[in-house]
Amino acid sequence: MNTRIQVTVNGVQYSHMVEPRLLLVHYLRDVLRLTGTHVGCDTSSCGACTIHVNGKATKCCTMLAVQANGCQITTIEGLSHNGDLHPLQEGFKECHGLQCGFCTPGMIMTAADLLQHNPQPTENDIRHALEGNFCRCTGYHNIVKSVLYAAEKLKEHAVVH
Amino acid sequence: MSTNGLIGRAVKRVEDKRFITGHGNYTDDIILPHQTYAVFVRSQYAHAKILSVDTSAAKEMPGVIAIYTGADLANTNGVPCGWQVNFKNGDTMKEPKHPLLVADKARHVGDAIAIVIAETKEQATDAAEAVTVEMEELPCVIDAAKAVQPGAPLVHDDVPNNKSFDWTLGNPIEEVNAAMDQAAHVTTLEFVNQRLVPNAIEPRSYNSSYDPVSEKYTLYTSSQNPHLIRLLMCAFVLGIPEHKVRVISPDVGGGFGSKIFHYTEEALLTWCSKQIGRPVKWTSERTESFLLDAHGRDHVTKAEMGFDAEGKIVALRVKTYANLGAYLSTFSSCVPTYLHGTLLQGLYTTPKINVDVTAVFTNTTPVDAYRGAGRPEATYLLERLLDLAALEMKADPAELRFKNFIPPFDGVQQPGYQTQVALQYDSGNYEGVLKKGLEMLGYADVRRQQQEAANNGKLVGVGFSTYIEACGIAPSAIVGALGCRAGLFESGHVRVQPTGKVSVYTGAHSHGQGHETTFAQVVADKLGINLDDVEIVHGDSDSVAFGMGTYGSRSLAVGGSAIIKSIEKIIEKGKKIAAHKLEASADDIEFASGRFTVKGTDKSVGFGEVALTAYVPHVYPKDLEPGLDFSSFYDPANFTYPFGCHIAVVEVDKETGKVSIKRFVAVDDVGNVINPMIVEGQIHGGVVQGIGQALFEGAEYDENGQLTNASYMDYCMPRADDLPMFETASQVTPCPHNPLGVKGAGEAGTIGSAPAIVNAVIDALWSGGHQVKDIRMPLTSERVWNAMNS
Amino acid sequence: MQLAGKHVLHAAPTRVWAILMNKDTLAHIVPGVSRLEQTGDHTYKSILDIKLGPVSGSFTGNLQLDDLQEPSAFTIKTQQNSKIGNANAAIAINLTPVGDNDTEIIFDGDVKLTGMLASLGNRVMGGVSNTLAKQFFSNLEKELDKEPAP
């Protein structure tokens, strides 16, 4: 009855037998113990569970683990490289874009997807891109500033290299 | 005392690193060895007799470890209420039992009938579905004003008219009536302050275990106040020894009040962990959160404000029905009374005030403190009345306020302001925040733009709210006299390590407020050491002496003051150690910038060296104990009273009724500010929760007591694209009665913002000739459109 | 929740009545019926499989045709239980002759929902009930078409 899945999460390959009804978010949290991805609802409404599946922002509370078979997954734990924070992680800290931190991983992963295809977003672009992620603490003001900060940082980075 | 300039600086938060990298540690992240999982069987009916509960089939299901029902807990207490309010005639409030599992009847949808514990959550879910419950549905009552009518169904058979208590405060009603009769103009508003669902994004989660060898329990709980939970659970519910219970609140993903209360699941899981000898975990699903986390607000109010011919307020009369839900939650009774009635003076010199509250049980989710708790209801009432009165009397709403403000007082040179409703305000400069707000707004320009818009057939409105709140909760003697069954002090323990590094143990709890940064700023500043050399520890009853937790914007004003007391003791002792080293008298030692110096000399010794000497006391004063470690408790002398001015500019779409917020200006005076970045963040978040109430949110019950919007698909909360950037500023009027001069910033935004938005919408409609007095919150497009077109 | 509407069928009230009172045809007409078992005069045990927007479920319960006034009126009473919540309905049905050979069916009643049906399904209930009502009448029309009018 259980099915074998093979996934690459944050660059590491895993192979597990899973129940067909196991949600991807619970696979990440309970099996791989990557608990940075959070569950805030069960209706894909809050975005706290947002990760990247094959490079695209995906709410993994409504995706089955078996659907991720063969996929490349990035979670918040895999966003920084060699100890350097991703510009978004830096932006959230610099601009006070988080308070309780519960929505933050999902918020950052959604914003990272935005910056991949729209590296210089306007305030409105950012607000529109983040409308699938709830934050109950910040009022979004500083989250918008955090993403603008990261976009600016990425631009500087692009100029340097 | 010395400072190194850390106080007042926008220091980036030290706690952020773990959150932005996914290494936060929330309760649901914890899996203990031999973990088991609980799922509840809950009532689908708002009010129904339980005829039978059959668990036999479920018990045979794979992985099931135990199932308990109300019958198993017949001799266990329910969860208590922490605040006693008396009836007007002196009788004690009606306080029916809130059992851990209901055995006789369910009183709201979601009331727990059985708990199923299994090896996995999926197995527990399957088994819970196999529990058969036979119920007989009873007529139910949802609305507070209807619940007190004769013949209404009784939520508790022994509570006549569903009335928990009635209560009054202020001047005698006869005096208020007489003043009102003399008024040249009376503005009347009858309205509903709708029920809100707090919706912290982290669902409530508990994980409880029992060690039979040490006979010790450990409860991980997503709580704002772990010590309070331990006290209530041990002393009032389970009767287990407090020293054998460790309660830990690790990272908590938002609370907004809803995680203050002692919930039935906390005690029940703890009880179960001993029964089965294994750790039991439960994490609420989102719909369970909607049905079970205590809701906020839900007042039905009639309010009248009388003015003389010059526009001075002469009287205020308020009648409120407060919906308590099915049971008294931990602090539910003080919200509509001592946190609401006491704030009805507002910022104004109103000479006669009377408030009358009837608090009622209904077949709905219990209602308790939600960000602001009572104070948003009071502010909404006052500020709506003022803007409406200005429209009715063709006065300017800002001018009307200036005319009625209490004049500035600092609480030092000028005494505090004694209100008609029991409080004494600490310090205030109310006209200051409004002046600043008007400047930031460019008031004359905005009014001109409004006129132009009206000429072009557009509806633009300006709404004001000048609020005050009472926080820094609270002086124990005062709240004790008012019925609080707890003290509301705080503890602060400062442990200087031998190398001069400092560990601080606070009874406050951070769930987004940034205590690990702000408290460290205070300590590092006062001791003249690096921020990195201070570690703030909170949320664990085994390491922190005691704590009342975080709510009522109290952490810094009360918890911070306790830490200051310990720091003073450390400096005092440090002076003695330094004096001995420097061969001087302790009276001649000054402490500044991290050094102890003999006055008027260059002889000095550093803080680190003094710390080391305290733990390696080879050369040491004879009569002094070794060590540099102090614990203090601080009980505030008064509440603190932040205030501010919020101004909203909105445009209402004539065709659709949709409200767009064009500008939002907030000037808040929260006393001295330790970290302006964090304070601003608190204001933003608070403002948006107020905007949420004004425009988006509201729990909707149908006539059968079903909560019909119990999911994020149905309950509308503000999203990023609903909001503008905010224009914020601060004014500083220090609090005269605590050592840091701070007042508190957690709830201010929520308290001030909702009436500003609603007032702006009403103003917009009047500018187009629609003389609407009230639109029921939330002001959805449909409601606004209907108001324009009726 | 209020459930009300009307529909005109191309058949006389007596024929419509006969089809609605027949257990076998009734099983084809009520949407989602996977089993209908007669337990008495016009009382049935039923299993229904119904999808209501985000929630779908298998309902077990009873169905009763009551207050019979042949051929002009009756009431459908039903109590359905499922893992996702319970539904309790009483719907009055009136059959009025229109012209020589048509019938106007007017239905009006109240549906009470509990559990997830109430908390998650309510938002889509209006749409779902319209769909179910449409299915009911289109199934009824199909049954009427099967046997030509006498």
Side-chain angles (χ1 to χ4, degrees):
Chain A
M1 188 173 108
N2 286 1
T3 310
R4 178 159 297 281
I5 60 164
Q6 289 193 314
V7 289
T8 306
V9 182
N10 302 332
V12 182
Q13 280 196 10
Y14 297 93
S15 173
H16 282 105
M17 295 296 288
V18 297
E19 260 198 85
R21 64 171 159 175
L22 183 70
L23 291 168
L24 180 56
V25 68
H26 290 134
Y27 174 72
L28 293 171
R29 287 177 54 80
D30 300 343
V31 180
L32 303 188
R33 296 302 282 139
L34 293 168
T35 53
T37 303
H38 297 147
V39 183
C41 71
D42 30 38
T43 50
S44 293
S45 309
C46 79
C49 65
T50 308
I51 58 169
H52 290 183
V53 178
N54 293 335
K56 277 184 66 176
T58 304
K59 294 178 176 179
C60 65
C61 78
T62 38
M63 180 171 174
L64 296 165
V66 290
Q67 291 174 288
N69 187 27
C71 290
Q72 294 277 339
I73 289 172
T74 309
T75 69
I76 187 70
E77 289 94 341
L79 200 61
S80 53
H81 289 291
N82 309 322
D84 292 335
L85 292 178
H86 185 280
L88 274 164
Q89 292 172 313
E90 195 185 315
F92 272 68
K93 183 176 166 76
E94 287 299 314
C95 302
H96 191 29
L98 67 149
Q99 291 179 25
C100 80
F102 196 79
C103 76
T104 312
M107 204 58 92
I108 289 178
M109 297 310 282
T110 304
D113 187 332
L114 167 73
L115 293 183
Q116 275 172 26
H117 60 261
N118 182 0
Q120 291 302 307
T122 63
E123 183 204 326
N124 266 340
D125 293 342
I126 296 167
R127 289 188 180 274
H128 185 69
L130 297 180
E131 60 92 32
N133 292 65
F134 274 135
C135 171
R136 196 62 160 162
C137 294
T138 65
Y140 306 102
H141 182 110
N142 285 345
I143 290 179
V144 172
K145 280 170 62 180
S146 305
V147 180
L148 287 169
Y149 175 100
E152 197 56 33
K153 201 79 189 185
L154 284 165
K155 192 165 85 178
E156 285 168 20
H157 203 255
V159 173
V160 173
H161 295 273
Chain B
M1 232 184 269
S2 72
T3 79
N4 57 12
L6 273 169
I7 286 181
R9 260 173 51 194
V11 174
K12 308 301 176 206
R13 299 205 318 173
V14 298
E15 46 271 85
D16 283 356
K17 190 170 182 189
R18 67 177 185 273
F19 295 128
I20 57 183
T21 56
H23 293 95
N25 183 35
Y26 301 90
T27 302
D28 190 54
D29 298 343
I30 296 162
I31 298 177
L32 298 170
H34 313 292
Q35 186 71 63
T36 69
Y37 297 85
V39 165
F40 287 86
V41 177
R42 299 187 179 280
S43 174
Q44 292 191 6
Y45 298 103
H47 197 195
K49 230 186 249 173
I50 298 170
L51 303 176
S52 69
V53 184
D54 182 357
T55 61
S56 52
K59 277 182 174 156
E60 300 306 314
M61 306 262 299
V64 173
I65 297 160
I67 301 177
Y68 301 104
T69 66
D72 297 307
L73 288 134
N75 297 321
T76 306
N77 292 333
V79 288
C81 177
W83 199 300
Q84 181 183 320
V85 175
N86 292 341
F87 277 87
K88 287 181 200 169
N89 67 8
D91 289 354
T92 309
M93 68 183 183
K94 298 286 181 189
E95 202 174 349
K97 182 177 177 180
H98 185 180
L100 305 188
L101 293 170
V102 288
D104 56 343
K105 67 173 184 172
R107 293 176 183 84
H108 69 94
V109 174
D111 230 348
I113 296 166
I115 181 171
V116 178
I117 302 169
E119 298 290 344
T120 70
K121 192 182 174 197
E122 289 72 22
Q123 289 170 334
T125 305
D126 289 346
E129 284 178 358
V131 173
T132 314
V133 184
E134 260 190 296
M135 300 183 87
E136 180 193 328
E137 198 178 357
L138 301 167
C140 67
V141 62
I142 307 305
D143 180 275
K146 285 181 189 154
V148 292
Q149 301 302 319
L154 291 184
V155 180
H156 300 274
D157 298 342
D158 51 354
V159 179
N161 302 313
N162 294 310
K163 217 189 260 190
S164 179
F165 57 85
D166 53 29
W167 177 89
T168 185
L169 184 71
N171 307 101
I173 188 69
E174 300 75 23
E175 292 178 17
V176 175
N177 291 344
M180 198 69 81
D181 292 344
Q182 297 292 310
H185 178 86
V186 176
T187 292
T188 305
L189 203 52
E190 290 183 60
F191 64 95
V192 174
N193 198 304
Q194 86 274 28
R195 179 184 282 247
L196 301 175
V197 183
N199 273 315
I201 309 295
E202 179 211 20
R204 277 192 298 126
S205 182
Y206 309 121
N207 197 344
S208 196
S209 56
Y210 178 73
D211 172 18
V213 177
S214 62
E215 299 180 348
K216 197 162 175 181
Y217 298 86
T218 303
L219 168 67
Y220 289 90
T221 167
S222 55
S223 172
Q224 300 177 214
N225 29 249
H227 292 82
L228 189 62
I229 299 305
R230 185 179 64 161
L231 174 63
L232 293 174
M233 184 170 78
C234 294
F236 295 92
V237 188
L238 298 179
I240 53 179
E242 197 176 359
H243 65 299
K244 293 287 192 185
V245 179
R246 178 181 185 187
V247 178
I248 304 168
S249 294
D251 287 326
V252 172
F256 316 113
S258 70
K259 291 173 182 167
I260 298 171
F261 322 120
H262 182 30
Y263 287 94
T264 53
E265 293 91 354
E266 283 169 317
L268 183 56
L269 259 64
T270 301
W271 182 85
C272 288
S273 71
K274 186 177 183 186
Q275 304 295 312
I276 66 165
R278 290 175 63 183
V280 191
K281 176 169 164 177
W282 171 76
T283 300
S284 171
E285 293 192 344
R286 183 48 60 185
T287 294
E288 276 182 308
S289 302
F290 271 93
L291 294 173
L292 300 160
D293 296 9
H295 293 173
R297 322 280 190 258
D298 207 342
H299 285 192
V300 180
T301 294
K302 180 178 181 185
E304 298 151 282
M305 190 179 264
F307 296 84
D308 69 12
E310 277 74 50
K312 290 276 278 183
I313 307 168
V314 294
L316 176 72
R317 186 165 55 203
V318 176
K319 169 69 201 171
T320 289
Y321 289 93
N323 195 334
L324 298 172
Y327 303 100
L328 281 176
S329 175
T330 312
F331 285 118
S332 57
S333 48
C334 80
V335 175
T337 50
Y338 295 106
L339 294 176
H340 168 245
T342 51
L343 268 299
L344 290 173
Q345 186 81 48
L347 302 178
Y348 315 109
T349 54
T350 314
K352 297 288 174 198
I353 301 172
N354 182 277
V355 50
D356 184 294
V357 176
T358 304
V360 200
F361 292 111
T362 62
N363 295 111
T364 60
T365 300
V367 178
D368 206 322
Y370 164 57
R371 202 169 192 171
R375 290 151 288 168
E377 293 90 316
T379 302
Y380 185 78
L381 177 169
L382 289 169
E383 299 306 306
R384 286 295 325 282
L385 281 171
L386 270 161
D387 267 31
L388 183 60
L391 286 168
E392 289 177 352
M393 300 190 292
K394 298 191 170 46
D396 181 274
E399 285 308 315
L400 190 62
R401 284 178 172 78
F402 283 125
K403 205 173 276 181
N404 284 287
F405 278 146
I406 297 163
F409 61 104
D410 62 9
V412 183
Q413 302 300 321
Q414 304 93 11
Y417 183 84
Q418 181 60 50
T419 71
Q420 303 300 316
V421 274
L423 298 178
Q424 190 177 40
Y425 293 167
D426 54 354
S427 59
N429 175 5
Y430 308 135
E431 55 194 45
V433 286
L434 180 53
K435 277 182 192 154
K436 196 162 184 174
L438 293 173
E439 273 168 33
M440 283 168 67
L441 185 71
Y443 187 41
D445 286 344
V446 168
R447 284 293 184 200
R448 209 164 25 248
Q449 288 156 12
Q450 180 185 29
Q451 190 52 53
E452 281 165 23
N455 296 341
N456 295 323
K458 284 189 170 174
L459 302 176
V460 170
V462 187
F464 289 86
S465 164
T466 47
Y467 72 90
I468 187 163
E469 61 150 323
C471 65
I473 288 173
S476 298
I478 295 181
V479 296
L482 301 179
C484 185
R485 289 163 172 167
L488 287 170
F489 55 84
E490 195 48 272
S491 82
H493 178 177
V494 179
R495 172 172 298 161
V496 182
Q497 311 286 2
T499 53
K501 311 291 183 195
V502 178
S503 306
V504 179
Y505 304 84
T506 173
H509 182 274
S510 180
H511 32 281
Q513 294 86 346
H515 296 164
E516 289 168 45
T517 307
T518 351
F519 285 18
Q521 277 178 262
V522 169
V523 173
D525 182 289
K526 295 294 183 195
L527 292 178
I529 57 178
N530 290 330
L531 193 69
D532 294 347
D533 291 341
V534 182
E535 172 91 349
I536 304 296
V537 179
H538 66 89
D540 183 345
S541 68
D542 262 14
S543 50
V544 178
F546 197 75
M548 296 309 296
T550 286
Y551 42 83
S553 308
R554 69 192 300 273
S555 299
L556 194 57
V558 189
S561 300
I563 292 170
I564 291 286
K565 278 182 76 175
S566 289
I567 287 174
E568 284 167 355
K569 291 175 191 171
I570 279 164
I571 292 171
E572 191 60 33
K573 185 169 179 181
K575 282 181 179 173
K576 288 180 188 164
I577 298 168
H580 190 78
K581 268 186 119 58
L582 298 170
E583 296 175 333
S585 154
D587 295 340
D588 292 335
I589 304 288
E590 290 175 324
F591 181 69
S593 304
R595 293 198 75 78
F596 295 90
T597 309
V598 182
K599 270 182 215 165
T601 75
D602 59 356
K603 283 170 69 181
S604 74
V605 57
F607 178 74
E609 205 181 326
V610 167
L612 190 64
T613 308
Y615 289 93
V616 188
H618 296 163
V619 182
Y620 204 68
K622 240 191 219 153
D623 48 356
L624 201 65
E625 287 176 20
L628 202 51
D629 184 318
F630 284 100
S631 185
S632 307
F633 288 77
Y634 177 80
D635 203 330
N638 190 357
F639 293 88
T640 59
Y641 300 89
F643 55 92
C645 161
H646 290 186
I647 310 174
V649 181
V650 305
E651 184 172 341
V652 177
D653 187 311
K654 261 191 170 168
E655 304 301 319
T656 63
K658 185 177 162 52
V659 176
S660 323
I661 304 170
K662 293 295 165 196
R663 293 179 64 190
F664 196 95
V665 172
V667 183
D668 296 276
D669 190 328
V670 299
N672 286 338
V673 170
I674 304 300
N675 185 324
M677 176 189 81
I678 287 178
V679 166
E680 193 185 75
Q682 290 293 312
I683 299 295
H684 289 160
V687 162
V688 169
Q689 285 186 7
I691 291 174
Q693 172 164 30
L695 297 181
F696 304 106
E697 301 179 33
E700 296 291 339
Y701 281 92
D702 71 10
E703 68 281 8
N704 304 311
Q706 300 289 337
L707 181 59
T708 59
N709 55 350
S711 84
Y712 280 164
M713 293 188 295
D714 305 86
Y715 185 94
C716 188
M717 292 199 296
R719 292 184 179 274
D721 59 352
D722 294 318
L723 300 160
M725 297 305 268
F726 302 108
E727 302 163 55
T728 56
S730 56
Q731 173 184 286
V732 175
T733 306
C735 172
H737 64 73
N738 66 46
L740 289 165
V742 296
K743 293 195 170 188
E747 296 159 292
T750 307
I751 292 167
S753 60
I757 298 283
V758 176
N759 283 338
V761 174
I762 299 287
D763 186 55
L765 297 195
W766 280 56
S767 78
H770 310 284
Q771 301 199 345
V772 176
K773 280 177 79 163
D774 184 44
I775 304 173
R776 187 173 169 163
M777 293 191 289
L779 272 59
T780 58
S781 303
E782 184 189 9
R783 286 181 183 170
V784 175
W785 190 91
N786 281 328
M788 282 192 286
N789 291 283
S790 62
Chain C
M1 189 188 65
Q2 203 65 18
L3 190 63
K6 54 188 171 185
H7 191 85
V8 177
L9 291 164
H10 191 57
T14 45
R15 267 196 75 218
V16 176
W17 181 272
I19 282 177
L20 289 174
M21 294 302 139
N22 177 323
K23 182 217 157 191
D24 296 329
T25 44
L26 189 64
H28 294 136
I29 294 167
V30 176
V33 170
S34 69
R35 230 173 79 201
L36 197 68
E37 183 187 317
Q38 191 145 12
T39 52
D41 276 356
H42 304 297
T43 58
Y44 306 92
K45 262 188 174 170
S46 65
I47 296 179
L48 311 174
D49 290 309
I50 290 176
K51 189 165 160 34
L52 301 167
V55 285
S56 63
S58 178
F59 293 80
T60 54
N62 25 33
L63 197 73
Q64 189 187 350
L65 306 183
D66 209 357
D67 310 326
L68 301 173
Q69 296 165 41
E70 189 177 353
S72 59
F74 66 100
T75 303
I76 297 181
K77 289 182 182 165
T78 181
Q79 192 167 12
Q80 300 291 336
N81 301 326
S82 80
K83 287 175 181 176
I84 56 167
N86 303 341
N88 206 332
I91 297 161
I93 299 199
N94 278 286
L95 285 65
T96 317
V98 179
D100 291 344
N101 203 26
D102 284 356
T103 305
E104 183 181 49
I105 298 194
I106 299 175
F107 61 98
D108 189 3
D110 191 38
V111 185
K112 278 164 84 171
L113 303 171
T114 69
M116 249 169 40
L117 283 179
S119 51
L120 288 171
N122 231 298
R123 176 171 37 93
V124 291
M125 272 313 285
V128 170
S129 350
N130 279 337
T131 310
L132 293 179
K134 267 188 200 153
Q135 267 179 36
F136 179 89
F137 288 116
S138 103
N139 292 344
L140 183 52
E141 271 164 358
K142 273 183 212 151
E143 284 302 315
L144 289 166
D145 287 347
K146 276 186 192 165
E147 33 174 325

